[in-house]
Amino acid sequence: NELQDTKGVVPPRSAKVRKGPAALPSGDYCRKSWRSLVRIERKSGTDEIMHNCLTRDRVRFEACLERLSLQCRIPYLFIEAPLNAYWNSGALRKDAEEALDILMGLCAKYGIRVISIGRKSASPAARRNIGEFLLRLMLSHVNDPHNQKGKP
């Protein structure tokens, strides 16, 4: 019962979560036995998304999303920022909206679900809550009868 976490989110008290010893080939969060079912890639917010979508880094970022979609049936992109941050970026608003459009296009292209959870928090309690949310999200897919072995 281990959830591999390469981003250092504090584990929920109800599950064994450990920080992975090395980066995963795709995604930042997964449980070892669920790797082919569900993985979650994490981005820390607007600045990281803008960098990934609007610079030369876009090629690497797209390859990362493609790998994620190929290595599991249910890929997620978890953005640790409120989506309204893209419209409240002041002078960068046009760039932020362009980055969001590129991001949504890439997620549609690779069948990646997107979730956003407010702002990034360094508080252990808040990070524990995020870890528990991500674990529950993965469990919801594991417990779905359509995802059981032998099902389409």
Side-chain angles (χ1 to χ4, degrees), residues 7-127:
K7 291 294 185 178
V9 169
V10 176
R13 290 184 176 101
S14 60
K16 291 181 184 177
V17 180
R18 67 175 176 84
K19 184 168 173 58
L24 298 165
S26 69
D28 294 312
Y29 305 100
C30 74
R31 184 172 184 264
K32 220 177 216 179
S33 61
W34 305 337
R35 282 184 180 175
S36 64
L37 178 63
V38 60
R39 291 177 185 228
I40 301 171
E41 174 71 22
R42 175 190 165 270
K43 295 297 170 194
S44 63
T46 312
D47 291 341
E48 185 176 5
I49 294 294
M50 287 176 60
H51 177 77
N52 288 165
C53 293
L54 300 177
T55 68
R56 288 181 289 176
D57 204 38
R58 181 173 169 188
V59 172
R60 184 206 55 81
F61 179 56
E62 183 168 358
C64 167
L65 295 179
E66 182 179 24
R67 248 188 338 273
L68 179 68
S69 72
L70 292 172
Q71 292 183 350
C72 71
R73 288 178 41 203
I74 307 167
Y76 276 95
L77 178 64
F78 163 57
I79 302 171
E80 207 168 355
L83 290 178
N84 69 350
Y86 292 92
W87 290 276
N88 296 330
S89 299
L92 296 175
R93 179 180 172 160
K94 183 179 178 196
D95 287 344
E97 289 177 355
E98 181 183 357
L100 186 60
D101 290 343
I102 290 169
L103 176 67
M104 293 299 106
L106 291 172
C107 288
K109 179 178 180 178
Y110 295 112
I112 297 172
R113 296 166 167 99
V114 178
I115 52 175
S116 170
I117 301 184
R119 64 178 172 247
K120 186 175 180 177
S121 174
S123 121
R127 293 183 71 76

Side-chain angles (χ1 to χ4, degrees), residues 1-3 30-39 73-74 76 134-149 151:
N1 287 347
E2 292 180 349
L3 174 69
C30 74
R31 184 172 184 264
K32 220 177 216 179
S33 61
W34 305 337
R35 282 184 180 175
S36 64
L37 178 63
V38 60
R39 291 177 185 228
R73 288 178 41 203
I74 307 167
Y76 276 95
L134 296 175
L135 178 61
R136 289 174 186 269
L137 177 65
M138 288 186 275
L139 277 169
S140 72
H141 292 293
V142 171
N143 293 331
D144 181 344
H146 292 96
N147 292 323
Q148 302 304 318
K149 288 188 177 185
K151 298 283 182 177

